[in-house]
Amino acid sequence: MKKIFIIFSVIVIQNGYSQDTISIKKNPVENHSEKIPLDVGELKIKLNSKGDQWIRFGISSQIWLRSIDNNPGTSVNGVPQEQTYDAGIRRMRLTIQSQLTPYYSVFLQMGINNQNFISGGGTGTGNNGAGKKAPFFFHDAYNELAIIPRNNFHTGEPNKNNLYLGAGLHSWNGVSRLTNASTTKMLAGDIPIFNFPSIEIADQFSRQLGVFIHGEFDRLNYRFSINKPFATNLKPVVGGPAVDNNQSGKLSYSGYAFYQFFNKETTVTSFLSGNNLSAKKVLNIGAGFYTSKDATQSQPSENTFKSHPANIFGADIYSEIPLGNKSKEMGLTLYSVYYNYNYGTNYLRISGLLNPGGPDPTFTGQRALEGAGNNRILMGTGNIWFSQAGFVIPKFSNILKIQPFFNYALKNMKALNQSGSYYDIGANFYLYGQNARIVAQYSSRPLYDITSKTIFDRKGEFLLSLQIVL
């Protein structure tokens, strides 16, 4: 990396895979002499005098600025570039949650994703070209019925068990905690993306259309769904890998459950936090799955096609441990997950977030299997082990709190001849709890040779992100 360019990111209220409620969080901030609680309120309208019918709104925006070491043979807007600086909208959201009766609620989330100066919108150079006017679409749109509510509607007392039933475009996903991740409570600058097994292939930004149940049985939190995957129809080459083709129209089935040993979490929406600054002692162990028949297709010989199921399994552990004197607000956050993916013969996904580059036709050097820009091996048939750790250092200021973190992913894909290590290292700087967070991060990715399928180089990316949740 020749230069370091800073990334600036702003997140307002709800974001992508949101926090576990839409209400805006309230955090106390201290001055040097006394505690002054700053109440940012919430965008909520009561629909009756009792207050059990309401509508709540949220808005979010996340802006990225980056410095990227491009893969060899990259062209950006027709110009060869080894390094690219860019700006983009990672996520923008409008959310609406309404409780129409004590038993019935509606959740809507809409917005855009991944728009930068050259991608995410239209193509060309006209009014709707070179990344301009990104499409605005629904992320979540589902209705939910309380079969057994969390709290008794008549007495207000909590129920030991609860059960909810819903339908629509939703993200009550299976496989892992990270597959249900909140992006307003991430430990690092972003989530690794391979946690979503059909992201933007058979789903809509990790969502599918279908029915779901979720709830708690004592300390066991669970969610299960039956969905209709979005249609895919890629054609495989003779003797090549399996590709996404679910033309037979089979359903998908998914589920995830985790046991809570210490403090319990409230899952009002599907999104699970990955970082609560170790405010409470948490230890959760979970497992989940995603399966869909005839999800991919290969062509072993000329005009002979073979369908393959997508079968994904995940198992994980999540822990937050307060350490030392409570007044020091010190603690450790740990997460580790194992994924086993099976999409068919040598299936491989390659992707790069807000990728600014394309192939340079004049390049004569060694190209990477990943292609151009910041593309990386995302996932495929094989295994991935991902772990992250964060440590909130002892309190030294009434305003600033610091949390260094480290991510590591080990990917062992059947289509490759060498396992690959991916890592992120950085620190969170909190100015207003989870509501105002600056993230400084460096990421490193391996590059694979097209012929040998082994690693021949590494590239990096720098990030500085500011998160605001009002």
Side-chain angles (χ1 to χ4, degrees):
M1 182 69 71
K2 296 179 180 178
K3 298 178 181 178
I4 297 177
F5 189 76
I6 292 180
I7 295 185
F8 174 81
S9 162
V10 178
I11 297 180
V12 183
I13 309 178
Q14 280 298 97
N15 167 326
Y17 317 100
S18 318
Q19 57 203 34
D20 52 7
T21 64
I22 298 185
S23 57
I24 305 166
K25 301 299 181 184
K26 305 171 184 178
N27 292 304
V29 172
E30 303 174 2
N31 65 12
H32 295 286
S33 59
E34 60 179 336
K35 292 184 178 180
I36 303 176
L38 298 180
D39 186 355
V40 297
E42 59 181 12
L43 301 173
K44 183 176 180 180
I45 300 173
K46 293 182 179 180
L47 302 179
N48 65 355
S49 57
K50 189 177 179 182
D52 59 3
Q53 296 177 355
W54 44 262
I55 185 168
R56 185 182 290 136
F57 302 91
I59 184 171
S60 68
S61 178
Q62 182 178 14
I63 309 302
W64 276 18
L65 308 177
R66 300 181 297 175
S67 174
I68 302 165
D69 275 344
N70 289 320
N71 297 345
T74 292
S75 173
V76 179
N77 200 25
V79 178
Q81 284 190 9
E82 294 183 359
Q83 187 177 27
T84 299
Y85 308 117
D86 79 344
I89 300 174
R90 177 67 177 97
R91 299 177 182 93
M92 188 281 291
R93 299 286 184 271
L94 298 173
T95 56
I96 303 173
Q97 186 180 22
S98 179
Q99 182 170 295
L100 304 179
T101 77
Y103 293 94
Y104 192 75
S105 63
V106 177
F107 182 75
L108 302 174
Q109 184 169 199
M110 61 212 84
I112 66 170
N113 307 301
N114 299 336
Q115 181 190 17
N116 67 3
F117 71 103
I118 201 167
S119 65
T123 59
T125 59
N127 292 335
N128 193 32
K132 302 171 193 172
K133 301 179 181 176
F136 188 89
F137 65 93
F138 277 97
H139 292 66
D140 298 273
Y142 63 81
N143 304 337
E144 188 176 87
L145 180 67
I147 307 300
I148 305 174
R150 293 175 191 82
N151 298 296
N152 187 292
F153 290 132
H154 301 293
T155 66
E157 294 297 318
N159 291 319
K160 186 175 183 180
N161 308 317
N162 60 72
L163 173 64
Y164 290 80
L165 170 67
L169 180 65
H170 69 92
S171 51
W172 291 94
N173 296 318
V175 188
S176 74
R177 181 184 189 89
L178 205 58
T179 317
N180 298 273
S182 160
T183 52
T184 59
K185 290 187 176 181
M186 300 180 293
L187 181 59
D190 208 340
I191 46 184
I193 308 303
F194 56 71
N195 47 301
F196 303 113
S198 60
I199 184 72
E200 292 289 52
I201 296 293
D203 65 31
Q204 181 169 288
F205 217 67
S206 83
R207 281 79 165 172
Q208 290 186 346
L209 289 159
V211 297
F212 60 88
I213 62 169
H214 69 91
E216 285 185 325
F217 184 76
D218 195 11
R219 290 189 168 272
L220 183 69
N221 189 298
Y222 61 87
R223 58 192 66 200
F224 298 96
S225 65
I226 302 174
N227 303 301
K228 182 69 172 181
F230 287 90
T232 60
N233 60 0
L234 298 180
K235 299 299 181 184
V237 299
V238 177
V243 297
D244 294 281
N245 187 314
N246 61 11
Q247 288 180 292
S248 63
K250 299 297 192 298
L251 298 175
S252 68
Y253 304 86
S254 68
Y256 175 66
F258 59 95
Y259 188 84
Q260 305 170 95
F261 288 91
F262 300 121
N263 284 288
K264 294 174 66 176
E265 299 179 80
T266 300
T267 48
V268 176
T269 66
S270 62
F271 310 110
L272 298 170
S273 67
N275 181 26
N276 291 298
L277 283 77
S278 305
K280 294 181 179 180
K281 188 177 182 181
V282 174
L283 177 61
N284 299 339
I285 296 178
F289 67 93
Y290 173 91
T291 182
S292 180
K293 290 185 65 176
D294 298 346
T296 66
Q297 191 179 88
S298 62
Q299 189 178 180
S301 59
E302 188 74 34
N303 294 323
T304 300
F305 296 92
K306 181 180 180 182
S307 291
H308 308 272
N311 290 319
I312 295 92
F313 169 78
D316 59 8
I317 181 169
Y318 175 69
S319 181
E320 296 201 62
I321 308 168
L323 299 174
N325 191 307
K326 191 174 181 179
S327 65
K328 295 295 184 181
E329 299 177 5
M330 181 172 57
L332 189 64
T333 298
L334 300 169
Y335 179 73
S336 188
V337 59
Y338 166 79
Y339 294 107
N340 175 259
Y341 305 88
N342 191 344
Y343 298 94
T345 309
N346 288 333
Y347 179 97
L348 201 62
R349 288 277 311 272
I350 295 172
S351 181
L353 281 176
L354 286 84
N355 191 348
D360 174 14
T362 66
F363 182 74
T364 58
Q366 184 177 12
R367 294 183 184 271
L369 176 65
E370 290 83 348
N374 67 346
N375 268 350
R376 63 175 60 198
I377 302 298
L378 183 63
M379 59 189 170
T381 295
N383 305 301
I384 296 180
W385 173 57
F386 174 78
S387 291
Q388 58 182 177
F391 175 69
V392 180
I393 70 172
K395 182 178 178 180
F396 63 92
S397 167
N398 290 328
I399 299 175
L400 179 64
K401 184 176 291 187
I402 300 177
Q403 181 187 42
F405 64 81
F406 180 75
N407 289 347
Y408 177 75
L410 179 64
K411 301 183 182 182
N412 182 13
M413 302 289 99
K414 297 289 187 181
L416 304 175
N417 293 323
Q418 183 180 355
S419 298
S421 295
Y422 302 71
Y423 66 83
D424 312 292
I425 186 168
N428 295 313
F429 301 88
Y430 297 95
L431 303 175
Y432 195 85
Q434 296 279 45
N435 295 89
R437 179 180 74 135
I438 299 171
V439 187
Q441 178 177 301
Y442 173 76
S443 302
S444 176
R445 65 188 187 275
L447 297 180
Y448 283 82
D449 178 72
I450 295 174
T451 303
S452 68
K453 306 296 193 298
T454 58
I455 296 169
F456 74 94
D457 199 3
R458 298 192 70 89
K459 295 294 182 180
E461 188 169 317
F462 285 91
L463 167 93
L464 181 67
S465 166
L466 172 63
Q467 174 175 297
I468 299 174
V469 182
L470 299 177

